[in-house]
Amino acid sequence: VYENLEYQAQLRLPRKMSAEQRMHIVDDVIKLLQISHIGDSIVGSVEKRGISGGQRKRVNIGMELVIDPIVLFLDEPTSGLDSTSSEVLLAALKDLTKLGLTVVTVIHQPRFSIFTRFDHVLLLGKGGRTVYSGPSRLAIPYFEQAEGAQLNFGLMLLLVLINSGISVIFSY
């Protein structure tokens, strides 16, 4: 794991940056993504088992983070992860936004606890039509008002996401 991140830093960061600065960035990314405990582990491949799927996703995100991007685009970062791994990953992404990084991600049918982590959501319907764009905390009141229905908060979100066939684009 550490070797993969170190290689990305050496390959993609400016040559004028010292080796010490690069290693400091790698260490910071490892701490941020909470993968210190697997730093010496083999990532693995199809033939050879390595770290878990959630850990692998965090390493892949780390490989992008070591270059200190301004915006991080992620497509389905929680796909295939269990709820705990998804929560850990999104907590790390939220921490990145507090450091000034913009994170844009696509997530289909997220759990409610994940949905509420986002500052801004863009909900798209069939044909890419915008159904809602705004703060996640205002999405349910918006749909309750638009539909004129007083449904259970969690049930309303479930109905909106599943019955409308909505893809969700979230932006912290």
Side-chain angles (χ1 to χ4, degrees):
V1 170
Y2 188 85
E3 191 174 82
N4 286 3
L5 297 175
E6 181 182 25
Y7 179 74
Q8 287 296 314
Q10 290 175 1
L11 185 66
R12 299 173 70 190
L13 287 172
R15 292 197 185 277
K16 63 183 177 184
M17 186 177 282
S18 72
E20 184 179 317
Q21 288 173 309
R22 289 185 191 135
M23 294 312 102
H24 182 69
I25 290 170
V26 169
D27 290 339
D28 286 348
V29 167
I30 285 176
K31 287 175 194 164
L32 178 72
L33 294 175
Q34 299 177 19
I35 53 177
S36 300
H37 62 289
I38 58 164
D40 293 327
S41 300
I42 294 173
V43 172
S45 65
V46 176
E47 296 86 27
K48 185 173 183 176
R49 178 143 170 78
I51 59 177
S52 74
Q55 292 166 337
R56 183 172 290 138
K57 284 197 184 229
R58 285 186 277 161
V59 170
N60 285 336
I61 291 169
M63 290 168 62
E64 296 304 316
L65 290 177
V66 295
I67 64 166
D68 196 23
I70 296 170
V71 179
L72 183 63
F73 291 96
L74 300 170
D75 185 22
E76 299 271 354
T78 60
S79 178
L81 299 182
D82 61 36
S83 59
T84 302
S85 296
S86 294
E87 292 287 346
V88 168
L89 176 60
L90 289 173
L93 293 175
K94 189 67 173 183
D95 288 345
L96 287 171
T97 66
K98 292 174 185 173
L99 297 172
L101 179 68
T102 299
V103 177
V104 179
T105 185
V106 177
I107 299 181
H108 297 278
Q109 299 181 345
R111 290 181 23 178
F112 184 71
S113 62
I114 289 175
F115 180 84
T116 58
R117 284 188 177 270
F118 295 96
D119 297 326
H120 184 90
V121 295
L122 170 62
L123 304 176
L124 301 176
K126 291 182 180 179
R129 184 178 61 87
T130 299
V131 177
Y132 175 79
S133 179
S136 63
R137 63 183 168 71
L138 298 179
I140 299 302
Y142 169 82
F143 285 108
E144 287 175 340
Q145 179 185 14
E147 299 299 320
Q150 295 298 315
L151 296 175
N152 175 288
F153 192 68
L155 178 61
M156 182 63 182
L157 180 64
L158 181 66
L159 292 173
V160 168
L161 292 174
I162 294 175
N163 292 341
S164 300
I166 294 172
S167 299
V168 183
I169 297 178
F170 293 106
S171 170
Y172 279 114

